[in-house]
Amino acid sequence: MADTKIGVLSCSGEECLGGTISRLATRKMMEKLRVGKTVTLCLPLYLAGGEGERSFAKAYPVITVDGCSKCCAKRATEKYSGKVSDTLVVSDILGEHAALSKVVSSKDLKNEHYQMVDKVADEICKKFDKILYEKGENK
Ligand code: SF4
């Protein structure tokens, strides 16, 4: 396995489906698809001034995952730690209508929403693999 650590930082959107999908897709990617190969960063801690999170994002590649075009995770990361390596916006993948839907509670998610999580998680993996490939550490 590569030595490169890659951080994945999801927005913490609680007001629309896109934020929920961002978080669930990031967790799926980390816990099932690329186990042990990613470091997840906590956006609230990051914003609160967590030095560990900010230092990591300065030193290692980071992929941000945002629910909508406001790109809170990307903007916060670039403000405090510099340019991100790649970024993914759920509304670009699923469309604004779906991403801005008010279905946000995990208990209300249906099969179609979990399919969205799978799709976004796969897209994060593609970006993850591309970064490793560019570093000559294709998995
Ligand atoms: S990127 Fe969109 S969904 Fe995510 S926290 Fe910001 S406003 Fe909410």
Side-chain angles (χ1 to χ4, degrees), residues 8-12 19 22-23 26 40-41 43 63-66 73:
V8 184
L9 197 151
S10 166
C11 83
S12 53
S22 294
R23 293 196 307 282
T26 299
T40 191
L41 303 170
L43 183 59
I63 301 168
T64 52
V65 183
D66 279 303

Side-chain angles (χ1 to χ4, degrees), residues 11-16 18-19 22 43 65-73:
C11 83
S12 53
E14 299 283 353
E15 289 203 346
C16 66
S22 294
L43 183 59
V65 183
D66 279 303
C68 75
S69 59
K70 290 183 180 162
C71 293
C72 299

